[in-house]
Amino acid sequence: MTEGHRILVVCRRRGAALRAKGFTFEQIADVMSLDLDDSPLLLHRYAHGLTAAQVVAVFNDLDPAGTASMRTARLYDLEGWPQGRRRPSPRVLDLLARIYQTTARRLVTDTTYATYGPYDRELIDATDHRHLDPCQHTHLMPAISGIPHASMESAAGSGWPVTDAPSAGNAGLRPGDCAALFRALTAEEADVKRRELLFQLAVALGGVPALRLLRHLTPDEEVHLAQAVQGSGRVDAHTVTAIEKLIAHCWQLDESLGPQRLLPIADAHRDLVGRLLHRESLTPALRDRLLRAYWAVSHLGGWLHYDVLDHEGAVTRYEDGLKAAHQLEDATLLAHMHGLLAEAAGFKGEHSRARDHAFAAQGWVRSSLSPLQHAATSLVLARVLAHSGDGNASLRAIDHAYDIAGKPRSETDPAHLYWCTPARVQRHSLYCYVTLKRPDQALAAAEKSLTLDENWVRQRGFVLVEYASALTQKREIPEVARQLGEVAIIATRHSSARLLHTLRTARQALHPWSTNTHIRTLDEKLHPLGLATTPTSAQR
C-alpha cells in the first residue's frame, strides 16, 4: 500500500466516523487540515474518502461539455497548485465544488484566489453547492430562522416598521465572512477610501454576495446610502433610489445565486429599510417610496424563505408586506401578497387557508388598475380551484390569465410581474392538469412549457417534475425516470429546497415500481441527494 493510499484509507475511516456524528464535509476537511498540510482541493477529496479516479469519473459525467476533459494526472496537478503546473479554472472549481458539496471559494487558498481576475473571482464567489450536503441543512436552517428582521408592528402609535436589532449590525455575518469580504475588496479595489465605504455597505447588506449589487450604484448613490446606513445623514431621494435599485437587482440574482446565498442580502435590506422608516422624519412622498421598498423586499424575502421551505419565515414576511400595502392603500400590492400567501398555504397542504387568501386577492384585484395583476390573481385562483376539484372553473381562470398575459404591457403593471408571460401561464396550466388528473392535457401543456428560457433553471425543474407526474399517471415509467433524472441534475445546480421536496414527492409516487430497472437507475442518481428510497448497487 502506497503512502498516499494509506492516508486516504485513514481519512475515509475518520470521515465516516465524523459524518455519523453529523459533521458536514466542510467541517471534516477542516478537521483533517489540522494534521495534513495539503491543498484545500485534496483535503475535500479526503473528506469524502474518494480516490482521484472516482472524482475524475464523476467530474466527466457532470461536465456539460461532455468532452471527458478531466484525467487523473490533471487532477493531481490541480491539487498540487501552485507546485503543480495548472491552476483550476472557475468552471473546473464549479464542478469540483458540486462533487465535494461545498463552495468554490473553499477549494482555493487566499494566495491562489488573489491570482484570479475580478470576473473570475465573482464566478468563484457565486459558486455554492453546500445545499447538496444533507448535514449542512441542520447547520444552515437555524441560522436562517435566527436572522433578526424588521417587522410592521406599531411603535408608539406610529404604524411604521421597527426592528428588533438596535443598530445597523452586520447582517448576521460571521468573522470568517467579514474576512472573506475584506480579501475580496482588497483584491479588486485599490482606492482605500472607497474600499472602506464598500466594506461598510457590504457588511450591512449581506456580505460578499452584496458586492455584485453595489457595483450597480453610482459613486454618489454609494455615499448617500453609506450615510444612511451609518446614521450620519438624512434619507433623501438619492438614498431611496439606491435602495430601489438594489432590490430590483436582487431578483436577477435569484436564479444564479439561489435562495440560500441571497437570503442574508434580502433580510439585511429589509432590516435597513425598516430602520429608516422607524428612525427618519420623512416627507410623505419619500415615506411612500420607502414603504413600497419595504413591501418589495418583504416580497423577495418571503419568496426566498418559501423556496428553502421555511414556511414560518415566509409567512412572517408576506404578512408584513400586507401591512405595508394597507398603509399604502394599494390594491395591486394587497392582491399580490394575498396570492403569495395562498401559494405558500397550498404548498403546505393548507388548502382551506389557501382558498381564503385566493378569494381575498380576488376581492382586492377588482380595484387594481394593473391588467397583469388580474392575470396573476387568476392563476392563484386556478390552482386553488384545481385542488377543490372544480376543473372547469380552474381552466376558465387559466384561459383568462392567458388572454391578459398575451397583451402589451400597461404602464400600470408593476415591475415585480415581469414573469407573467403566456409561457409562464402554460406552466400553471400544467400544474392544474396534473392536479386534476388529466394527463393527456398535462403532457401537451408540458411540451409548451419546456420552451421557457433556458435561464429559468429552477422553473424548468418544476416543469419536468410535473411532466413526470403526468407520465406516472399514464404509467410510462421509463420516461418518468428519464425526466426525474434531469431534474436531479438541475437540483445539484440550485439551492431550492422546494425543488428537492417536489422531486422527493415525485419519487415517492413511484414506490409501486421500485424494483423496475429504470427506477433503480434513477435511484443511483438520486442517492447523492439523499432522495433514493431503494439501496444503490454500491450498498447491495
Side-chain angles (χ1 to χ4, degrees):
M1 181 183 294
T2 65
E3 179 64 14
H5 190 250
R6 186 190 67 78
I7 293 174
L8 175 61
V9 170
V10 172
C11 290
R12 182 181 293 160
R13 187 182 305 119
R14 192 177 184 186
L18 293 173
R19 284 295 282 183
K21 295 181 181 295
F23 278 56
T24 68
F25 286 116
E26 290 183 344
Q27 291 171 331
I28 295 172
D30 290 340
V31 170
M32 292 178 177
S33 70
L34 300 176
D35 300 321
L36 300 173
D37 186 21
D38 290 309
S39 70
L41 273 175
L42 184 52
L43 289 171
H44 278 80
R45 177 159 68 82
Y46 284 161
H48 284 259
L50 298 173
T51 65
Q54 288 173 320
V55 172
V56 167
V58 177
F59 183 100
N60 290 331
D61 286 342
L62 291 175
D63 188 355
T67 57
S69 59
M70 185 60 72
R71 296 288 185 271
T72 303
R74 184 186 178 203
L75 180 62
Y76 287 147
D77 272 350
L78 298 177
E79 291 176 342
W81 173 269
Q83 285 73 33
R85 295 173 299 171
R86 302 182 184 183
R87 184 188 68 177
S89 68
R91 186 187 71 82
V92 168
L93 287 173
D94 175 40
L95 292 175
L96 290 174
R98 193 180 307 170
I99 295 169
Y100 298 143
Q101 300 175 7
T102 184
T103 64
R105 181 64 184 86
R106 278 187 58 92
L107 299 181
V108 293
T109 63
D110 293 345
T111 303
T112 303
Y113 179 77
T115 65
Y116 292 94
Y119 178 74
D120 284 346
R121 286 197 299 270
E122 182 174 317
L123 293 177
I124 292 170
D125 290 336
T127 301
D128 187 348
H129 296 292
R130 289 177 296 175
H131 61 283
L132 299 178
D133 184 351
C135 291
Q136 282 280 8
H137 299 166
T138 62
H139 294 269
L140 292 177
M141 290 311 295
I144 290 172
S145 61
I147 295 174
H149 62 273
S151 69
M152 288 294 295
E153 296 300 322
S154 299
S158 67
W160 290 5
V162 298
T163 180
D164 301 327
S167 61
N170 63 359
L173 295 186
R174 298 166 296 182
D177 297 326
C178 291
L181 175 59
F182 181 77
R183 288 194 299 267
L185 283 169
T186 301
E188 68 180 62
E189 184 54 59
D191 188 306
V192 176
K193 288 186 176 180
R194 186 163 186 269
R195 187 191 306 163
E196 291 178 354
L197 183 144
L198 289 175
F199 183 83
Q200 292 172 347
L201 285 175
V203 165
L205 297 178
V208 173
L211 291 178
R212 296 181 66 174
L213 295 173
L214 293 172
R215 294 191 186 107
H216 295 286
L217 300 183
T218 65
D220 192 40
E221 289 170 342
E222 290 174 354
V223 171
H224 280 80
L225 185 58
Q227 290 173 346
V229 168
Q230 297 162 4
S232 60
R234 293 187 60 80
V235 174
D236 58 14
H238 292 286
T239 307
V240 180
T241 298
I243 292 171
E244 291 169 340
K245 188 184 293 187
L246 292 176
I247 294 172
H249 284 289
C250 274
W251 280 108
Q252 298 176 14
L253 294 180
D254 182 27
E255 281 293 330
S256 58
L257 291 184
Q260 284 186 350
R261 282 191 49 95
L262 199 54
L263 260 171
I265 300 177
D267 282 338
H269 278 72
R270 188 163 171 268
D271 289 345
L272 172 62
V273 178
R275 284 193 301 273
L276 295 180
L277 281 165
H278 179 56
R279 186 184 74 200
E280 298 288 337
S281 177
L282 303 164
T283 65
L286 280 181
R287 178 183 177 279
D288 283 355
R289 285 180 66 186
L290 268 184
L291 272 175
R292 288 184 182 277
Y294 188 82
W295 181 93
V297 81
S298 295
H299 174 198
L300 173 65
W303 169 257
L304 296 173
H305 280 268
Y306 169 58
D307 206 27
V308 298
L309 300 184
D310 178 15
H311 181 78
E312 182 180 352
V315 169
T316 296
R317 285 154 181 78
Y318 287 158
E319 288 179 345
D320 283 354
L322 270 183
K323 294 171 187 175
H326 275 296
Q327 290 191 40
L328 290 164
E329 299 181 350
D330 190 311
T332 299
L333 302 186
L334 284 163
H336 195 72
M337 202 57 79
H338 275 295
L340 293 169
L341 284 163
E343 183 175 352
F347 187 83
K348 198 179 179 185
E350 299 174 346
H351 298 300
S352 177
R353 188 185 302 273
R355 281 195 298 274
D356 289 345
H357 284 297
F359 291 140
Q362 283 290 108
W364 282 109
V365 83
R366 293 190 184 98
S367 302
S368 172
L369 299 178
S370 165
L372 280 185
Q373 186 56 61
H374 284 261
T377 303
S378 289
L379 292 178
V380 173
L381 182 63
R383 294 167 75 100
V384 166
L385 292 171
H387 277 288
S388 300
D390 193 346
N392 291 333
S394 173
L395 297 179
R396 281 198 299 272
I398 289 287
D399 289 341
H400 179 62
Y402 191 85
D403 290 342
I404 297 174
K407 295 178 180 177
R409 300 208 161 217
S410 164
E411 293 181 357
T412 58
D413 288 325
H416 62 259
L417 291 175
Y418 65 92
W419 57 268
C420 195
T421 63
R424 294 296 291 275
V425 172
Q426 284 287 349
R427 181 255 186 274
H428 285 268
S429 70
L430 167 59
Y431 176 90
C432 293
Y433 285 132
V434 170
T435 303
L436 294 167
K437 292 183 170 52
R438 300 185 183 184
D440 291 328
Q441 292 168 294
L443 294 177
E447 293 291 345
K448 296 178 181 177
S449 297
L450 288 174
T451 61
L452 284 169
D453 189 332
E454 288 293 328
N455 292 327
W456 295 93
V457 178
R458 175 178 45 201
Q459 286 303 319
R460 180 176 177 83
F462 283 113
V463 168
L464 289 172
V465 170
E466 288 161 7
Y467 194 175
S469 297
L471 290 167
T472 301
Q473 292 173 6
K474 291 181 71 66
R475 298 173 181 259
E476 297 182 14
I477 305 307
E479 185 63 16
V480 172
R482 191 182 73 81
Q483 299 291 350
L484 293 183
E486 185 175 344
V487 178
I489 295 173
I490 293 174
T492 65
R493 301 173 184 172
H494 204 282
S495 59
S496 172
R498 189 165 51 98
L499 179 58
L500 278 176
H501 174 80
T502 57
L503 176 56
R504 179 182 292 109
T505 302
R507 172 58 187 88
Q508 290 170 349
L510 294 170
H511 182 70
W513 298 277
S514 291
T515 58
N516 182 285
T517 301
H518 298 283
I519 301 306
R520 286 181 176 274
T521 302
L522 171 65
D523 284 340
E524 296 283 352
K525 296 180 180 179
L526 298 183
H527 179 67
L529 298 176
L531 299 178
T533 57
T534 61
T536 65
S537 60
Q539 296 171 305
R540 289 192 292 269

